Amino acid sequence: MEAMMKELEEMMGSADFEDMFGNVMSQLMTRDMLYEPMKDLVGKYPEYLDANASTISEEDMTRFRGQQRLIVEILQVYDDPAISGEDEGKRVADLMQQMQEYGNPPEGVLTDLAPGMGVGADGMPAFPFPGMPGAGADGNPDCCIM
């Protein structure tokens, strides 16, 4: 096991791995992959924030509004015909990185988009599918793949 971990660490530091990872991320950040989910996500924010304004802390409200602003900016990049290809990918990746710094979207927004899925105590999505971490009525964290 130790040898396998060492090989993985060496591979992760290689230029080939970085190129492969960059290509995968670029493909995931395309308009075809992200536009509709981002459009759905940004549409949920105003209703959620208005309905929960009295229970959301000032700090969380600032984070959530920051997320909303960045999603709007991502959609603007996709909608701008002057931005495409590698430039589009770089801009979207930068905005996604900024959005990640704000943490997870509000749980109520996620629940609307993916009914049954919540956020666990660790801040990671809790999947409602049997065998997935956090699944089941007993909250069994075991994964059927492991």
Side-chain angles (χ1 to χ4, degrees):
M1 181 68 151
E2 189 175 315
M4 188 171 72
M5 291 303 291
K6 185 177 180 183
E7 270 185 53
L8 180 61
E9 286 176 12
E10 289 172 5
M11 183 179 75
M12 289 177 65
S14 75
D16 289 341
F17 180 80
E18 289 180 20
D19 289 344
M20 180 188 71
F21 185 73
N23 287 337
V24 169
M25 292 308 294
S26 293
Q27 290 173 8
L28 292 174
M29 303 257 181
T30 64
R31 186 182 206 285
D32 290 342
M33 292 294 290
L34 283 183
Y35 189 81
E36 287 303 319
M38 287 293 188
K39 193 172 178 182
D40 291 343
L41 183 61
V42 79
K44 300 290 182 184
Y45 272 82
E47 181 181 334
Y48 177 83
L49 295 177
D50 288 345
N52 296 285
S54 63
T55 60
I56 298 173
S57 71
E58 187 175 324
E59 180 182 346
D60 283 344
M61 187 64 81
T62 300
R63 282 189 321 107
F64 298 153
R65 292 208 187 279
Q67 292 168 350
Q68 182 182 18
R69 177 186 53 78
L70 289 167
I71 296 168
V72 167
E73 288 183 41
I74 290 168
L75 292 171
Q76 289 171 342
V77 168
Y78 287 138
D79 286 337
D80 188 339
I83 304 171
S84 63
E86 192 174 313
D87 187 35
E88 177 183 271
K90 286 179 182 178
R91 289 185 190 201
V92 170
D94 180 54
L95 292 168
M96 291 292 281
Q97 177 63 40
Q98 290 176 47
M99 189 169 150
Q100 187 176 7
E101 292 171 10
Y102 282 112
N104 291 325
E107 186 171 349
V109 170
L110 289 178
T111 303
D112 284 350
L113 292 175
M117 184 176 83
V119 177
D122 59 359
M124 298 302 292
F127 296 95
F129 310 111
M132 294 298 292
D138 62 356
N140 183 1
D142 296 329
C143 177
C144 64
I145 296 172
M146 299 296 202

